[in-house]
Amino acid sequence: MPTTGLHLGLSTLFIRKGLLSEEQISTAISNSRKQKTSLVTTIIKNSLISASKIAQLCYEEYGTPLLDLDEFDISSIPDDFLNKKLIEKHRCIPLFKRGNRLYIATSDPTNIIALEDFQFSAGLHTEAILVEDNKLDKALETILEDDISSLDLSAIDDGALAEIEVTDTDKRDEEQDGTGKDDAPIVIYINKILTDAIRKGASDLHFEPYEKRYRIRFRIDGILHEVSEPPVNLSGRISARLKVMSKLDIAERRVPQDGRIKMKLSRSKSIDFRVSTLPTIWGEKIVMRILDSSSAQLGIEKLGYEDDQRLLYEEMLQKPQGMILVTGPTGSGKTVSLYTGLNILNTEERNISTAEDPVEINLEGVNQVHINLKAGLTFASALRSFLRQDPDVVMVGEIRDLETAEIAIKAAQTGHLVLSTLHTNSAAETLTRLINMGVPGYNIASSVNLIIAQRLSRRLCTSCKEPEQIPAEALLKLGFTQQQIDSGITPHKPVGCDLCSGGYKGRVGIYEVMKMSDEIARTIMEGGNSLQILKQAKLQGMRDLRDSGLLKVIQGVTSIAEVNRVTSF
């Protein structure tokens, strides 16, 4: 566990240099203890001071040698020095030995206890080498195998695959269904499919039976790809194995079922899958969603917001009351945007409650409620209970009906910050959707602070993308302004290489961030439609989804074809 608590020298230094106030330091210390991270990591994670700024400041103040850890070959560290317990405890890495001295990489040169512990363990004198905290994090992930990418899944052989642990599996069900020791090939095959999906960065797996074939597809960067076609006569055994792993009723094939799998890949790493079965005429279709908890820990700066959009979101998150709505189709990244906001708000001073259907990722310090319609636990009833639990921040997974909308607006008007989602195509349509639900315009105008509409666009692979020559007239028709064209636009197109999937690798958010202003509130009160609201928002400087997407094209992040795919034009 990383060292927590206050290193007096650093906190005093930050205050003396005028970088942080005593109140900010106190809050950061409290958060670091609660989240079990170092003070430096907490400060950087909350965007109070950058990692490079802290490293440069410590170099100037303490004279500790500064090293760019990205340029250091981690694999060159002798195994004798890799005491993983000490490395994990202190967030320090012993890099190399010179004479009788061991040099330790740290982002906090005042952490004398760490140096003493390594000195005692290695029997050598120790000296600190200063590194940037974010680069230290990346190196720690590699050494401690805390990240999926650091697990060499491609090297796992069939024997190891059979032994990958699936937690909470009922062995009697395995024996009953024939997927135990006597059916090891199916076990190995399923485990290999799951590990391949993780290695390729898939978000969903589809197991689909048809009359004469059975196919398995992965959704990678939002697009489905067929990856395997096992014999159709294995359909029942594959379904049974997946249902056993998910603790579902293997004898029930007539109705849909929902379950969950926790797959342990190593001593320190496990992955959760959400499993849904659906009876079809040729058997059960099974869809598995990979629940990646690391996505909930992403910093807001990594989601793709432009600087002005990010600052507006962060500003509204600090409001004591009001409502922030995130909108977009299924799979557009709404949950990640909300979780990122909750992580910013998740401090010791706030009581945060969420109602979700389902709870996909556990957030420590947040009271998460799983909606259960059969038991009568709806979004509205959960939200009503939250208001009796002294909340500061409330997150409602989705506003689906008038009852939920009315309670959420009441909460936003009575001193609570409310975060929620709707399924609309744009920020302006979100307001008219609430009106169509039956919410009075004056309640919307007085409670909604911010609306974010978003899509996910595939990122161009930086290794193989190529410039695309497009005439200026065509660029104008695509939506670029004359000013942008005159400044010189070089769109890029996908090519494809061994490092990517069809020229794309990863995804980036495209956002439309609309602040509730007096003018927009007046338009709502006067019964304006979504087009009038959009026009007013653009007069205030808001970029719609199309404009934000084209900005990503100018930056070389994505292609025109991708922007056309995810935004209307």
Side-chain angles (χ1 to χ4, degrees):
M1 200 64 69
T3 301
T4 59
L6 169 65
H7 295 303
L8 189 59
L10 277 187
S11 59
T12 304
L13 176 63
F14 296 148
I15 294 171
R16 178 159 53 83
K17 293 289 185 180
L19 297 173
L20 296 176
S21 66
E22 291 186 10
E23 182 181 354
Q24 286 175 310
I25 281 288
S26 178
T27 301
I29 293 168
S30 174
N31 290 344
S32 72
R33 287 172 177 160
K34 178 181 177 183
Q35 297 167 9
K36 298 181 180 178
T37 58
S38 71
L39 177 62
V40 173
T41 301
T42 302
I43 288 172
I44 293 167
K45 183 179 177 181
N46 288 283
S47 304
L48 299 175
I49 311 175
S50 69
S52 57
K53 177 71 174 176
I54 290 177
Q56 186 63 34
L57 190 66
C58 290
Y59 168 71
E60 295 170 357
E61 184 73 14
Y62 302 110
T64 309
L66 187 59
L67 172 71
D68 184 353
L69 203 53
D70 282 348
E71 301 299 321
F72 186 85
D73 182 8
I74 296 295
S75 63
S76 68
I77 301 174
D79 290 341
D80 295 346
F81 298 149
L82 291 178
N83 185 328
K84 294 190 177 182
K85 287 185 179 179
L86 286 182
I87 290 171
E88 189 172 8
K89 177 182 178 183
H90 294 297
R91 295 187 71 255
C92 297
I93 302 174
L95 298 179
F96 54 85
K97 174 188 171 187
R98 292 287 184 271
N100 66 341
R101 293 191 177 275
L102 183 62
Y103 290 84
I104 309 292
T106 177
S107 59
D108 179 5
T110 68
N111 191 355
I112 305 301
I113 295 175
L115 296 178
E116 290 176 347
D117 280 358
F118 277 103
Q119 179 171 320
F120 180 79
S121 173
L124 297 168
H125 293 293
T126 53
E127 281 196 22
I129 290 186
L130 195 57
V131 296
E132 295 175 33
D133 192 77
N134 54 344
K135 295 178 180 180
L136 179 63
D137 261 343
K138 190 163 65 172
L140 286 168
E141 285 177 353
T142 301
I143 291 172
L144 299 174
E145 292 187 345
D146 270 344
D147 187 57
I148 296 172
S149 61
S150 68
L151 292 169
D152 187 7
L153 299 175
S154 61
I156 298 177
D157 59 23
D158 287 350
L161 281 168
E163 293 176 6
I164 288 179
E165 179 183 350
V166 179
T167 61
D168 298 328
T169 298
D170 191 331
K171 300 298 182 184
R172 289 173 300 176
D173 283 347
E174 290 187 0
E175 293 168 5
Q176 176 183 339
D177 196 66
T179 55
K181 293 181 180 178
D182 294 335
D183 208 5
I186 290 293
V187 174
I188 293 170
Y189 178 71
I190 294 296
N191 285 347
K192 187 175 190 309
I193 288 292
L194 300 186
T195 51
D196 279 350
I198 297 167
R199 180 170 51 82
K200 292 179 179 179
S203 60
D204 301 86
L205 297 78
H206 292 244
F207 296 81
E208 302 169 310
Y210 297 99
E211 182 180 11
K212 296 182 179 179
R213 63 189 291 245
Y214 189 96
R215 71 175 178 183
I216 299 174
R217 294 189 290 172
F218 294 168
R219 187 177 294 278
I220 302 171
D221 296 335
I223 305 296
L224 281 168
H225 304 270
E226 184 170 332
V227 296
S228 183
E229 189 173 335
V232 68
N233 63 339
L234 294 180
S235 169
R237 292 160 73 187
I238 290 173
S239 298
R241 172 60 185 165
L242 291 172
K243 289 168 74 175
V244 166
M245 294 169 73
S246 313
K247 298 195 72 178
L248 300 178
D249 184 354
I250 60 175
E252 180 56 80
R253 299 180 178 88
R254 299 165 299 173
V255 296
Q257 297 185 67
D258 294 301
R260 205 173 178 110
I261 296 173
K262 182 180 285 291
M263 188 174 185
K264 198 164 185 179
L265 297 172
S266 71
R267 183 180 58 82
S268 60
K269 189 65 188 178
S270 61
I271 294 292
D272 286 343
F273 297 82
R274 191 182 75 205
V275 182
S276 173
T277 72
L278 179 70
T280 69
I281 58 173
W282 303 114
E284 288 179 287
K285 172 173 179 174
I286 297 178
V287 176
M288 305 175 69
R289 165 69 55 89
I290 298 178
L291 304 178
D292 183 6
S293 59
S294 64
S295 64
Q297 306 297 328
L298 288 174
I300 192 171
E301 67 282 350
K302 295 182 180 179
L303 299 185
Y305 287 94
E306 302 301 330
D307 287 344
D308 57 331
Q309 295 174 331
R310 175 179 57 80
L311 290 172
L312 192 53
Y313 186 22
E314 290 176 331
E315 177 190 341
M316 293 301 139
L317 284 171
Q318 300 308 318
K319 295 283 185 183
Q321 66 182 50
M323 185 181 291
I324 297 174
L325 297 173
V326 183
T327 182
T330 300
S332 60
K334 299 188 297 295
T335 301
V336 172
S337 281
L338 285 177
Y339 277 7
T340 302
L342 288 177
N343 273 323
I344 293 173
L345 294 169
N346 188 13
T347 62
E348 187 177 341
E349 295 79 19
R350 292 188 178 97
N351 175 24
I352 304 176
S353 296
T354 74
E356 305 171 60
D357 184 20
V359 174
E360 294 192 354
I361 297 171
N362 296 327
L363 296 176
E364 187 176 348
V366 176
N367 307 293
Q368 296 173 277
V369 175
H370 185 105
I371 295 303
N372 187 340
L373 298 179
K374 291 181 180 178
L377 181 56
T378 63
F379 282 118
S381 61
L383 188 49
R384 199 177 287 111
S385 296
F386 290 167
L387 296 182
R388 297 192 290 269
Q389 294 266 318
D390 184 32
D392 297 298
V393 180
V394 169
M395 195 268 271
V396 186
E398 183 183 350
I399 294 179
R400 297 176 178 172
D401 50 51
L402 177 59
E403 183 183 13
T404 307
E406 286 179 335
I407 302 170
I409 284 175
K410 178 183 176 184
Q413 292 173 333
T414 55
H416 308 93
L417 182 63
V418 179
L419 285 69
S420 189
T421 72
L422 278 90
H423 286 280
T424 59
N425 292 323
S426 69
E429 289 177 46
T430 302
L431 297 174
T432 54
R433 171 68 60 84
L434 290 172
I435 291 171
N436 292 338
M437 278 185 183
V439 180
Y442 58 84
N443 273 342
I444 298 172
S446 64
S447 59
V448 176
N449 290 345
L450 190 75
I451 303 175
I452 301 172
Q454 66 180 79
R455 301 290 188 275
L456 287 178
S457 169
R458 289 183 291 173
R459 285 181 183 270
L460 284 167
C461 174
T462 56
S463 299
C464 65
K465 67 179 181 180
E466 289 183 354
E468 185 176 15
Q469 300 302 321
I470 299 177
E473 297 80 9
L475 291 175
L476 276 173
K477 290 180 180 178
L478 286 167
F480 293 98
T481 66
Q482 188 63 54
Q483 183 180 1
Q484 289 172 331
I485 295 171
D486 292 341
S487 65
I489 296 175
T490 307
H492 288 75
K493 62 182 179 181
V495 177
C497 66
D498 294 338
L499 301 175
C500 65
S501 175
Y504 297 98
K505 187 175 183 180
R507 290 191 287 177
V508 64
I510 295 175
Y511 301 93
E512 181 178 289
V513 182
M514 186 175 79
K515 180 181 179 181
M516 178 65 73
S517 65
D518 293 340
E519 292 76 13
I520 292 177
R522 190 176 301 113
T523 303
I524 296 170
M525 298 283 287
E526 292 171 355
N529 58 34
S530 58
L531 291 176
Q532 292 169 314
I533 294 171
L534 176 61
K535 181 179 179 181
Q536 183 58 53
K538 288 192 136 188
L539 287 174
Q540 297 171 192
M542 183 196 80
R543 283 187 299 276
D544 63 17
L545 286 167
R546 181 75 184 180
D547 294 336
S548 295
L550 294 179
L551 195 55
K552 290 285 190 291
V553 172
I554 294 172
Q555 295 165 354
V557 174
T558 191
S559 66
I560 290 174
E562 264 300 282
V563 173
N564 288 338
R565 183 179 71 85
V566 301
T567 67
S568 57
F569 181 57

